[in-house]
Amino acid sequence: MNARGFAPHPAVRWLIGLAIIVLFAIPIVSMAEYTLRDATAGGHSLVHWIELFDPARAGTYRPIWTGLGNSAVLAVVTVAIVLLLLAPTMVLVELRFPKLKRPFEFLALLPISIPAIVLVVGLAPIYLAIGRTIGTGIWPLAFAYGVTVLPFAYRAIQAAIDATELRVLAEAARSLGASWPAVLVRVLAPNLRPGLLAASLISVAVVLGEFTIASLLNRQNLQTALVVVGKQDPYASVILSLLALAFAFVLLVVIGRIGGGTPRARRSARPPKDQP
Amino acid sequence: MTETAIATADNAILAGARAGSAVAFEGVVKDYGQTRVLHGLDLAIQPGEFVSLLGPSGCGKTTALRVLAGLERANGGTVRIGGSDVSAVPTNRRDLGMVFQAYSLFPHLDVTANTAFGLRMRKVAKREAAARVRDALALVGLAGFGERYPHQLSGGQQQRVALARALVTEPRVLLLDEPLSALDAKVRVTLRDEIRRIQLRLGITTVFVTHDQEEALAVSDRIAVMNAGRIDQIGTPEELYLRPATAHVAEFVGLSSVLPCTVGGGVAEVLGIRLPVVGEAADGPAEAFVRPENVRLGGPIDAVVLESTFLGSVRRTVLRTAGGQLLRMQHAVGERVEFDERVTLGIEPAPVAVRPREG
Ligand SMILES: Nc1ncnc2c1ncn2[C@@H]1O[C@H](COP(=O)(O)OP(=O)(O)OP(=O)(O)O)[C@@H](O)[C@H]1O
Ligand SMILES: [Mg+2]
């Protein structure tokens, strides 16, 4: 909208887009080609893909499906932590406690400088206690992931906050009779949506790619499962990496849908009943 | 829009409108950290009155309005709306309408949804809300703009929508914090007159913050002139202009020449001319505030023309007296004076405000 004046020429945009697509396509296409190689018959075939669903080999692949489910649960809980805990806290700091902004930023960015190994050393006794009280289910691991995604989610949300006149909008809404929850849900969240969306996406990406913490805390997620299976069947490992990419892609699209698509699309698609 | 359309829209809102509420500040004190910004502010506003808070930048106008809105908590004193103490009532339950200096429309909502926001918060039925939004938009001259988004509107249109949004809930008090300051001169004048017209029709109590004295003089029932966290004087525009209580008011409301004088027995002697003094003044050396329209060509004062500006209906000329005093004169367009021309001046015997002079 207001950035239109600075947008590059359409041809330049296409070129940049094309270059990026090619860059991403090369490894993905290579992976796909590898999974189609047929060592026994020579040439290419779907043999490795079919093996994946072979009931006789189901035992080998079972960890993958468990890991996939676990990672999905972790992604959802982590995104919930980002959207329901981090984002409202940041809004609160911005509006009510601006003096805490610097310390909060320092705290939020801190995890980026702490190696996962070090984090685990601190987390291990905590998760021992969690294991005894809440149980050894997978979802408490999302607390640790909430910490790892903190710097990325923080930056994404803060950028949106800085680009919005939060205070003016909140005060206007208050003067019009909105309660604080209404201010958050009806006014601030829609205007911070690009930032919230970006924070969610990056959180999902981080969670799906996480290996160290899960491995060292003896939890099974997608990455640990891929390593386990990859030791027995390298083809399966690459196929599943491909599938993981596709899965992440689908997840991002789903989250994008929940977010409501682009503002312009939402505007034209806005149902008339929403306008009193 | 036709006159009848305006009348119908107004009447529709009028039908539901309550009479405006009285507003009172009683000894309101506000500190920001160590700095005291409001020093015991006292101000009583009648129901349906249009009062401007006028004062230089940083004198606490916005702070006073924010305390009234509940966006800031006062450190002392009482704020009353409709007679009852609202100090403990949060902003969203004070039943206010507010227009901010910064553009404050919700960017993700169109004009209709923006205007309907307050009604939605009050859970007004959709059908009724739609009718009231239509009326409010017609009232500010924006019928037919409902589908637009804020970024598709000019600054003036955005402030009109903000006004409609503030009025549609029929609030007890309308608060305006320099709503016109981001607009160009012509739009400012139109919109300020429009705000006054709407206010008069609806009879809504209005507090209007501005640092533009012309704006305040044009639209207010009464003006409260603020100075460093206090109210210097509150009165009708005429009272402030003709009988300023303090030198600050005289200086701030209207244009004056500040001339040395000697006060004695309620009369100030300015450049050899005796003028009645407004209010009480101690005898002795002082400075008098002489209005440019009270200075005329022809009289006992010798002066030389420094600059003469044609302002359309009048001409304003700056002169220097033989004693080196600067003097402003407002006179008829036909009376042409040239740069460096020697003229003689007189002063009409209108009352002048004075302030004591040191030394
Ligand atoms: N949040 C704040 N923290 C500290 N000081 C503040 C704050 N807001 C305002 N002040 C100070 O309080 C004083 C009054 O501010 P206020 O905004 O009320 O002035 P104003 O009369 O509205 O001025 P203007 O015409 O420039 O808008 C100023 O000196 C300002 O620096
Ligand atoms: Mg101000």
Side-chain angles (χ1 to χ4, degrees):
Chain A
M1 289 170 283
N2 44 5
R4 194 174 289 155
F6 301 99
H9 191 271
V12 177
R13 265 195 306 219
W14 276 106
L15 250 134
I16 295 174
L18 210 68
I20 290 173
I21 289 171
V22 169
L23 220 65
F24 277 98
I26 289 171
I28 293 172
V29 170
S30 313
M31 281 167 85
E33 193 270 337
Y34 177 73
T35 63
L36 295 177
R37 281 184 200 170
D38 193 334
T40 44
H44 293 89
S45 76
L46 278 173
V47 59
H48 300 299
W49 286 79
I50 293 161
E51 273 174 12
L52 202 60
F53 299 97
D54 184 354
R57 305 180 61 130
T60 320
Y61 299 133
R62 186 158 307 122
I64 298 282
W65 307 120
T66 322
L68 200 62
N70 284 352
S71 279
V73 168
L74 286 171
V76 168
V77 179
T78 308
V79 167
I81 289 174
V82 165
L83 294 184
L84 301 180
L85 192 64
L86 178 63
T89 308
M90 289 177 66
V91 168
L92 197 67
V93 166
E94 179 77 17
L95 293 181
R96 301 298 284 271
F97 307 105
K99 280 198 191 116
L100 290 180
K101 220 173 141 178
R102 289 284 147 227
F104 188 76
E105 180 177 17
F106 177 75
L107 208 69
L109 297 184
L110 206 55
I112 211 169
S113 60
I114 302 176
I117 304 261
V118 177
L119 208 58
V120 168
V121 172
L123 286 174
I126 296 174
Y127 273 90
L128 213 63
I130 288 179
R132 281 203 214 96
T133 49
I134 309 182
T136 48
I138 190 69
W139 67 268
L141 196 58
F143 296 139
Y145 285 1
V147 175
T148 27
V149 303
L150 193 57
F152 310 105
Y154 175 88
R155 280 312 316 156
I157 297 173
Q158 191 60 41
I161 287 180
D162 291 341
T164 316
E165 296 279 357
L166 271 203
R167 181 174 295 273
V168 175
L169 295 184
E171 287 179 352
R174 292 286 289 165
S175 78
L176 289 166
S179 62
W180 277 115
V183 171
L184 265 181
V185 174
R186 296 220 177 275
V187 178
L188 300 187
N191 284 293
L192 295 179
R193 205 167 44 82
L196 297 176
L197 201 60
S200 305
L201 298 188
I202 201 155
S203 302
V204 170
V206 168
V207 170
L208 290 188
E210 211 290 322
F211 171 76
T212 321
I213 295 177
S215 168
L216 292 177
L217 289 178
N218 288 321
R219 301 296 202 278
Q220 206 174 38
N221 71 3
L222 181 61
Q223 296 300 327
T224 61
L226 281 181
V227 170
V228 168
V229 173
K231 278 180 188 149
Q232 303 172 18
D233 184 346
Y235 287 106
S237 173
V238 174
I239 289 177
L240 288 160
S241 291
L242 259 183
L243 288 178
L245 277 173
F247 176 71
F249 182 77
V250 169
L251 213 60
L252 301 197
V253 170
V254 167
I255 289 176
R257 276 291 159 80
I258 293 169
T262 68
R264 210 173 305 160
R266 197 170 51 114
R267 266 165 207 177
S268 47
R270 167 183 269 277
K273 66 174 160 54
D274 214 35
Q275 301 175 354
Chain B
M1 189 167 54
T2 64
E3 263 304 313
T4 43
I6 293 174
T8 326
D10 283 8
N11 289 341
I13 289 196
L14 264 177
R18 287 157 282 180
S21 298
V23 169
F25 290 86
E26 293 165 4
V28 171
V29 173
K30 173 69 191 172
D31 300 322
Y32 282 119
Q34 301 293 319
T35 349
R36 179 146 295 187
V37 178
L38 296 179
H39 300 257
L41 191 76
D42 287 306
L43 176 62
I45 300 171
Q46 305 304 316
E49 204 178 11
F50 192 120
V51 170
S52 292
L53 293 181
L54 175 67
S57 188
C59 70
K61 308 179 294 288
T62 297
T63 307
L65 204 69
R66 291 174 61 84
V67 168
L68 174 54
L71 296 171
E72 301 285 351
R73 188 175 282 271
N75 298 81
T78 311
V79 175
R80 293 180 192 281
I81 299 177
S84 51
D85 184 353
V86 294
S87 304
V89 179
T91 302
N92 59 330
R93 293 209 227 102
R94 288 197 185 187
D95 194 9
L96 309 162
M98 196 162 179
V99 180
F100 297 80
Q101 175 171 6
Y103 298 134
S104 62
L105 295 185
F106 305 128
H108 64 295
L109 298 177
D110 65 10
V111 167
T112 301
N114 258 289
T115 312
F117 188 87
L119 298 175
R120 228 177 139 177
M121 291 301 120
R122 286 164 176 77
K123 309 230 183 319
V124 174
K126 290 224 159 147
R127 184 181 293 266
E128 188 197 337
R132 280 165 70 175
V133 165
R134 240 191 339 270
D135 288 344
L137 288 176
L139 188 64
V140 298
L142 285 180
F145 281 70
E147 307 270 281
R148 297 239 198 142
Y149 279 84
H151 72 271
Q152 299 167 321
L153 299 174
S154 73
Q157 288 168 339
Q158 288 193 40
Q159 290 303 64
R160 280 168 202 262
V161 176
L163 186 65
R165 183 177 72 172
L167 286 171
V168 75
T169 58
E170 292 154 12
R172 294 192 290 175
V173 186
L174 179 64
L175 308 181
L176 309 168
D177 188 1
E178 309 206 25
L180 309 174
S181 64
L183 309 175
D184 71 59
K186 203 166 169 197
V187 180
R188 282 179 80 125
V189 172
T190 340
L191 199 45
R192 91 177 178 211
D193 292 343
E194 211 161 311
I195 288 175
R196 175 59 161 164
R197 172 182 68 76
I198 292 168
Q199 187 269 339
L200 281 173
R201 290 202 185 205
L202 303 184
I204 183 171
T205 311
T206 302
V207 187
F208 180 66
V209 163
T210 180
H211 61 253
D212 181 340
Q213 47 116 355
E214 190 196 319
E215 211 163 85
L217 290 172
V219 295
S220 314
D221 288 316
R222 286 193 300 157
I223 300 172
V225 181
M226 285 187 69
N227 185 18
R230 292 189 178 81
I231 289 184
D232 263 11
Q233 185 180 6
I234 174 154
T236 64
E238 294 79 9
E239 278 167 6
L240 294 183
Y241 192 82
L242 299 174
R243 289 185 297 284
T246 67
H248 174 260
V249 175
E251 213 174 350
F252 205 77
V253 179
L255 200 63
S256 301
S257 311
V258 187
L259 299 171
C261 67
T262 322
V263 176
V267 174
E269 196 176 309
V270 185
L271 299 172
I273 298 171
R274 290 168 63 80
L275 302 171
V277 168
V278 182
E280 304 280 298
D283 290 356
E287 286 176 322
F289 293 87
V290 176
R291 299 293 189 195
E293 63 270 24
N294 291 333
V295 179
R296 57 175 158 73
L297 283 173
I301 307 167
D302 288 315
V304 56
V305 176
L306 293 185
E307 140 193 341
S308 187
T309 319
F310 172 64
L311 293 178
S313 52
V314 294
R315 186 179 290 282
R316 197 164 282 159
T317 302
V318 182
L319 308 111
R320 191 173 54 226
T321 66
Q325 264 63 15
L326 289 185
L327 206 59
R328 280 199 177 80
M329 169 173 70
Q330 183 172 303
H331 54 119
V333 174
E335 298 176 344
R336 289 192 66 99
V337 288
E338 300 294 331
F339 172 72
D340 229 14
E341 187 181 335
R342 292 183 176 282
V343 295
T344 59
L345 304 174
I347 302 176
E348 302 288 347
V352 292
V354 298
R355 76 163 162 229
R357 173 165 48 118
E358 279 89 51

